[in-house]
């Protein structure tokens, strides 16, 4: 390494993100000192990205920096919290100054957008991986959980799902695109994978409205399954209600696009349930296309295991995943 560890931290990580007035002491000492705002609860999240597992080995450094923070901010959004401080543990095979400049730039840009300050971390040598922790704040008892959906609630998703997985498939040439796919649509999908936007603004509007929420990192069906189990109920998802993606439709055959919408991960959209009595409050978000009602919450049927978790319906009939050519509902590191 040309730079010492100290120089490296000083040069690339001392001034990342927004300078916050509640940071008493940031990068440089053995620990950061932070001033907790009175009357708030803290929410802590952590996520690790491993090169070759969570992003391609040759991914642009700016995207790696952005995603390392974005996946954590998405967890903060899913809890209905506001992010404040971040830690970054970085394992690097070598000091590549250009890579580090781009990486820190991608991280810092997103951090500034959401008023997050990088207050510390750790730097070691080894195969490329990044672990980020973020602390956020939320007024007492307003955090959103995944275990509190109720039968009868409506099920919503933000944005469009499947586009990031479509972009990754194009990058890695694992799915054949339509011949007519044009370059700007192709780039828009890749952008969805490389620069996901955590739904923090939406999350604040869901406080006091959503009965349960989580972010979608592993795929709609796989994550809906987690919400269903945590809340002890069934989720009915109507295929024809899923938000349609023009970019996916232009890029892939219909069956492939449907498969991506149901099982593709990496979008970092929000999945949430809302009591029918609050449905009106969401009308502006629905009419702007920011959120879409995709189904509803149904009571558990413990006597029939085939009815646990998520049910997929199309035009009034229940569908089997195999009928759609789907083998797995989403990404699982240990499956
Ligand atoms: P120590 O020797 O006490 O473990 P380090 O040399 O690892 O301290 O870190 C020195 C300072 O730099 C600490 O404040 C630490 O939080 C910060 N730091 C180290 N690596 C990073 C990083 N990748 N990003 C941000 N801050 C970092
Ligand atoms: Mg250390």
């Amino acid at each position: 390494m040309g730079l010492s560890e100290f120089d490296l931290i000083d040069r690339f990580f001392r001034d990342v993100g927004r300078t916050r007035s509640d940071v008493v002491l940031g990068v440089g000492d053995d620990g950061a000192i932070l001033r907790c705002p009175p009357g708030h609860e803290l929410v802590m999240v952590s996520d690790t990205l491993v090169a070759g597992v969570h992003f391609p080995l040759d991914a642009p450094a700016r995207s790696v920096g952005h995603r390392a923070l974005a996946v954590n901010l998405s967890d903060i959004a899913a809890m209905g919290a506001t992010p404040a401080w971040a830690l970054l543990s970085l394992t690097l095979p070598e000091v590549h100054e250009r890579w580090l400049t781009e990486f820190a730039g991608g991280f810092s840009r997103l951090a500034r957008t959401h008023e997050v300050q990088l207050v510390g971390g750790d730097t070691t040598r080894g195969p490329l991986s990044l672990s980020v922790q973020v602390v956020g704040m939320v007024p007492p008892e307003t955090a959103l959980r995944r275990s509190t959906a109720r039968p009868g609630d409506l099920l919503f998703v933000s944005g469009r799902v499947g586009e990031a997985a479509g972009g990754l498939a194009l990058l890695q040439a694992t799915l054949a695109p339509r011949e007519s796919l044009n370059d700007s649509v192709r780039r828009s999908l890749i952008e969805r994978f490389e620069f996901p936007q955590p739904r923090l603004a939406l999350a604040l509007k869901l406080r006091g409205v959503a009965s349960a929420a989580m972010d979608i990192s592993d795929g709609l069906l796989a994550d809906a399954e987690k919400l269903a189990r945590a809340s002890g109920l069934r989720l009915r998802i109507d295929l024809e209600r899923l938000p349609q993606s023009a970019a996916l439709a232009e890029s892939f055959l219909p069956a492939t696009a449907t498969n991506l919408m149901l099982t593709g991960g990496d979008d970092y959209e929000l999945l949430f349930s809302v009591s029918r009595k609050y449905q009106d409050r969401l009308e502006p978000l629905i009419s702007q296309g920011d959120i879409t009602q995709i189904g509803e919450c149904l009571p558990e049927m413990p006597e029939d295991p085939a009815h646990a978790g998520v049910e997929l319906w199309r035009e009034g009939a229940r569908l089997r995943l195999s009928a759609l050519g789907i083998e797995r509902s989403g990404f699982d590191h240990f499956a």
Side-chain angles (χ1 to χ4, degrees):
M1 298 204 189
L3 287 172
S4 72
E5 188 184 320
F6 175 84
D7 293 336
L8 186 155
I9 296 164
D10 197 52
R11 173 145 164 220
F12 296 104
F13 300 112
R14 181 164 296 278
D15 187 26
V16 170
R18 180 75 64 99
T19 303
R20 293 178 61 98
S21 58
D22 53 13
V23 175
V24 181
L25 187 62
V27 169
D29 209 312
D30 291 309
I33 306 176
L34 310 165
R35 200 178 295 120
C36 293
H40 279 73
E41 292 172 347
L42 299 181
V43 174
M44 289 187 76
V45 304
S46 178
D47 244 309
T48 299
L49 301 189
V50 177
V53 177
H54 299 95
F55 58 92
L57 285 163
D58 59 354
R62 187 160 283 276
S63 156
V64 177
H66 176 102
R67 290 186 74 242
L69 180 61
V71 300
N72 282 278
L73 295 183
S74 177
D75 282 330
I76 291 282
M79 298 302 293
T82 306
W85 312 301
L87 295 173
L88 165 65
S89 299
L90 190 57
T91 305
L92 295 170
E94 62 190 345
V95 174
H96 190 307
E97 295 189 17
R98 171 110 182 264
W99 193 94
L100 280 164
T101 303
E102 292 288 305
F103 170 84
F107 190 108
S108 192
R109 180 165 186 200
L110 184 65
R112 282 197 304 271
T113 302
H114 296 292
E115 302 188 11
V116 170
Q117 183 172 343
L118 182 65
V119 296
D122 196 22
T123 307
T124 53
R125 193 166 194 168
L128 180 59
S129 87
L130 315 111
S131 181
V132 173
Q133 291 76 43
V134 173
V135 181
M137 307 165 191
V138 67
E141 286 163 53
T142 64
L144 302 170
R145 304 168 189 225
R146 52 174 81 170
S147 57
T148 42
R150 292 284 173 79
D153 291 351
L154 302 174
L155 184 68
F156 286 86
V157 70
S158 67
R160 294 176 305 276
V161 286
E163 292 187 338
L168 182 62
L170 292 174
L171 265 178
Q172 302 194 311
T174 50
L175 290 174
R178 287 178 189 265
E179 266 174 34
S180 56
L181 174 59
N182 74 50
D183 210 46
S184 78
V185 173
R186 180 188 154 85
R187 266 188 278 115
S188 75
L189 287 181
I190 291 174
E191 168 106 4
R192 289 275 285 156
F193 173 76
E194 290 186 334
F195 296 95
Q197 299 300 324
R199 300 300 179 202
L200 287 157
L202 172 63
L204 294 190
K205 297 181 186 161
L206 297 181
R207 269 188 204 161
V209 178
S211 56
M214 67 181 299
D215 69 327
I216 304 177
S217 51
D218 295 334
L220 175 62
L221 287 181
D223 287 327
E225 189 88 27
K226 292 174 199 163
L227 193 142
R229 286 182 194 281
S231 291
L233 43 66
R234 286 177 296 147
L235 294 177
R236 171 190 168 130
I237 294 178
D238 297 305
L239 203 51
E240 61 271 23
R241 285 181 177 273
L242 293 187
Q244 294 304 305
S245 160
L248 282 182
E250 282 181 46
S251 304
F252 302 104
L253 295 174
T256 306
T258 300
N259 196 326
L260 286 166
M261 288 194 283
L262 292 171
T263 67
D266 296 316
D267 288 301
Y268 300 100
E269 295 293 348
L270 297 179
L271 178 70
F272 57 97
S273 58
V274 178
S275 163
R276 284 167 202 265
K277 67 174 186 263
Y278 293 143
Q279 198 178 351
D280 293 353
R281 298 205 201 167
L282 297 179
E283 211 38 68
L285 292 170
I286 297 170
S287 57
Q288 287 157 32
D290 292 343
I291 62 171
T292 307
Q293 192 221 326
I294 60 169
E296 63 181 317
C297 304
L298 304 171
E300 196 178 25
M301 289 173 72
E303 70 280 7
D304 181 359
H307 275 78
V310 179
E311 293 175 12
L312 197 56
W313 290 68
R314 181 165 58 194
E315 284 152 15
R318 179 139 182 227
L319 279 178
R320 302 215 161 275
L321 285 188
S322 55
L324 296 167
I326 294 173
E327 286 156 25
R328 289 197 318 176
S329 60
F331 188 75
D332 180 338
H333 282 284
F334 298 102

